Amino acid sequence: MEYDFLIERSEKPVYKGNLKEFNASFNDRNQVCGDQVEIFLKIEDGIIKDAKFDGKGCLISMASSDLLLEQVIGKSIDEVLKLDDEFIRKLVKVPLGVNRIKCATLPLKVLKRAVIDYVSKNKN
Ligand code: FES
């Protein structure tokens, strides 16, 4: 089934938890359902060195969070800021309608806000 790998990722996430050391984070919710995602990042020299997420939400939002963090560790913050909804669609691999796309992109929105906050706090 096309949803099997999403079920697996939402039930056994690899990147869920807290980072002992992080220097960027953001927390937001889907305004429609109230589901919530928080992301913690360790950024060094403009690179995402480590990442974890926490939160409560549907299968799509939790699986998308886990899959997204797997992809962004090792990427530069500039690369992360260029990621778009299309990237998430490819990652999640199942058809996403108007509501489900909001579930799937919630972690990307949170991730980008964490990076934007980090950049604004660390600019000279
Ligand atoms: Fe709430 Fe998916 S139903 S994020």
Side-chain angles (χ1 to χ4, degrees):
M1 282 288 292
E2 57 186 356
Y3 279 90
D4 281 359
F5 95 106
L6 293 177
I7 293 168
E8 166 103 17
R9 282 310 274 258
S10 73
E11 287 179 350
K12 292 182 194 157
V14 181
Y15 296 95
K16 191 165 187 189
N18 291 311
L19 276 188
K20 284 199 185 93
E21 284 179 44
F22 62 92
N23 51 10
S25 68
F26 198 73
N27 186 346
D28 203 0
R29 55 183 56 234
N30 180 332
Q31 296 301 325
V32 179
C33 63
D35 288 349
Q36 174 252 336
V37 171
E38 182 164 20
I39 288 179
F40 308 92
L41 303 171
K42 184 176 178 189
I43 301 174
E44 278 176 15
D45 302 326
I47 305 289
I48 311 284
K49 294 286 187 183
D50 205 358
K52 291 270 189 196
F53 78 98
D54 203 359
K56 240 176 38 180
C58 65
L59 185 155
I60 299 272
S61 65
M62 294 295 103
S64 174
S65 297
D66 206 48
L67 292 163
L68 176 63
L69 294 191
E70 179 172 70
Q71 291 296 315
V72 299
I73 293 171
K75 279 198 189 331
S76 71
I77 55 178
D78 290 342
E79 286 175 296
V80 167
L81 292 175
K82 286 183 193 146
L83 298 177
D84 58 12
D85 290 5
E86 211 37 52
F87 178 82
I88 298 295
R89 284 186 190 277
K90 285 185 189 143
L91 210 54
V92 172
K93 294 184 191 155
V94 296
L96 298 166
V98 281
N99 290 323
R100 283 309 200 186
I101 188 67
K102 290 192 181 111
C103 303
T105 55
L106 175 62
L108 179 59
K109 279 199 272 178
V110 173
L111 173 67
K112 284 186 173 184
R113 282 297 307 271
V115 170
I116 289 166
D117 279 7
Y118 171 85
V119 170
S120 69
K121 280 180 196 153
N122 289 279
K123 68 180 169 204
N124 296 321

